[in-house]
Structure formats: structure tokens, C-alpha cells
Amino acid sequence: MGINAVRPHKFLVCAMLAVGTAKVSAADAVTGSVFLVTDRPTQGVSPIVVPRGSFQFEAGYKYERFDIDGVEIDQQSFPDLLFRYGAGERFELRLFSSGWVVTDADAEAGTDTEFSDVTVGTKIELVPKSGRVSKLSLLAEVSLPTSRDSSSDDYVIPKVLLIGGYELSDRYSLTYNIGP
């Protein structure tokens, strides 16, 4: 059984990209102006780590449509939770879960709702920002088989990403993720 085509809903893809790349300025009484930079798990990750002592909560919704051997499958994931905590000046701790995964294959199979595995990890700033060259960071995560449902991978899955970027202007930057 192979995946012939993956066709995410265009509107939701645009909405996720807009949310995933948003920079929201917030006033900070101690340090002046700081930026809230979001990560979108499974979509793209920023090289920016959350400030020390800060807690950041991110949530989302994902809709995908697959065609597997001629059968169209709709899959929704929510609340797509990511918790980030700035544990040091140059690193953060992370906890992620897609939450509920609702799969609707066809009228005969019905709808299947399962809870996803949990991923724990850290993001470490390797090279601080210098001029227009953005930070270079390393993301190391481990997906743990915490779900008892059929959606669980049933084994530990490690993941390492090299994350970097380049500041194009005060408002725009180009970010890259190298790894699986």
C-alpha cells in the first residue's frame, strides 16, 4: 500500500503558513521589545529559542487528504499542541503532541479517532545572530510510543534538525530546516 498523492486543503495550508511565520511584537518591561516567534510542528521550525524563564504554548489544526490505492482518506489533527520552555540562555525544552487524530477513510470503514504519540526534545542555539545572518540552532527530539491506539509507532523515533535562517529585512526572513 503506497501513498499516491497528498493533497492538503489549500485554505488551511495558507492559514498554517501565515500563523507559522507570524512575528508578534510584545512589550517587555525589563528588556524592551521582544518578538514572539512561533514554531509549527511538522510544518517548519524557527532557529529562535524562547527566552530564559519564558513559557510558550502553541496550538493548531491540520487537515490532510490522502489517496492510498484509490481510496481517499481525510485526516484531521487537533489541538496540535507544542509547549516550549526557555530553560537557559541558549536552549529550550519542548513537549509536543498532535492530540486527537481523526481519520475518515470511506463510508464502509467509518471514522476512527485516536490519540497521537508524545514527542519530547530540546532546541539549542549553536550560533547567535550576527548582522543579517540569523541564529543557527539544533533541534533534537524523541517521539515516545505513548498512545495505545493503532496510530502509535510502538517504538522510540529520534529526530535531529539543523535549523538556520537569513534576515532579508526587518519584517522578513528566510528559514531552513535540514534533516528528516
Side-chain angles (χ1 to χ4, degrees):
M1 181 180 340
I3 297 177
N4 296 327
V6 177
R7 298 174 306 201
H9 191 275
K10 291 177 185 175
F11 173 76
L12 291 174
V13 169
C14 292
M16 286 188 288
L17 287 173
V19 170
T21 59
K23 276 188 176 180
V24 180
S25 178
D28 184 295
V30 177
T31 61
S33 181
V34 295
F35 290 96
L36 174 66
V37 179
T38 61
D39 284 357
R40 285 301 304 133
T42 72
Q43 303 298 319
V45 181
S46 161
I48 309 297
V49 298
V50 294
R52 183 179 188 174
S54 297
F55 179 82
Q56 189 166 310
F57 168 80
E58 302 173 25
Y61 168 83
K62 183 168 54 176
Y63 172 86
E64 297 176 291
R65 176 169 283 170
F66 302 94
D67 183 330
I68 300 178
D69 295 333
V71 177
E72 282 192 359
I73 298 172
D74 293 330
Q75 191 170 66
Q76 302 174 67
S77 303
F78 56 90
D80 224 13
L81 296 174
L82 173 62
F83 298 94
R84 300 167 64 190
Y85 175 72
E89 292 298 323
R90 296 176 66 166
F91 72 98
E92 69 182 36
L93 301 176
R94 303 164 62 89
L95 178 66
F96 170 74
S97 176
S98 288
W100 289 275
V101 178
V102 180
T103 305
D104 187 10
D106 57 28
E108 293 176 18
T111 301
D112 186 27
T113 303
E114 301 176 331
F115 197 80
S116 70
D117 289 337
V118 171
T119 300
V120 296
T122 186
K123 188 190 312 181
I124 304 164
E125 179 185 314
L126 301 175
V127 178
K129 182 179 174 182
S130 174
R132 288 213 179 270
V133 178
S134 296
K135 295 178 181 181
L136 183 64
S137 298
L138 182 75
L139 176 69
E141 296 179 326
V142 179
S143 176
L144 303 173
T146 54
S147 176
R148 294 184 183 165
D149 297 322
S150 63
S151 67
S152 178
D153 290 313
D154 294 327
Y155 48 90
V156 174
I157 301 175
K159 175 180 171 181
V160 178
L161 285 177
L162 183 63
I163 310 160
Y166 184 80
E167 192 174 291
L168 300 172
S169 71
D170 290 340
R171 294 181 50 132
Y172 299 101
S173 63
L174 177 66
T175 301
Y176 56 88
N177 295 191
I178 301 172

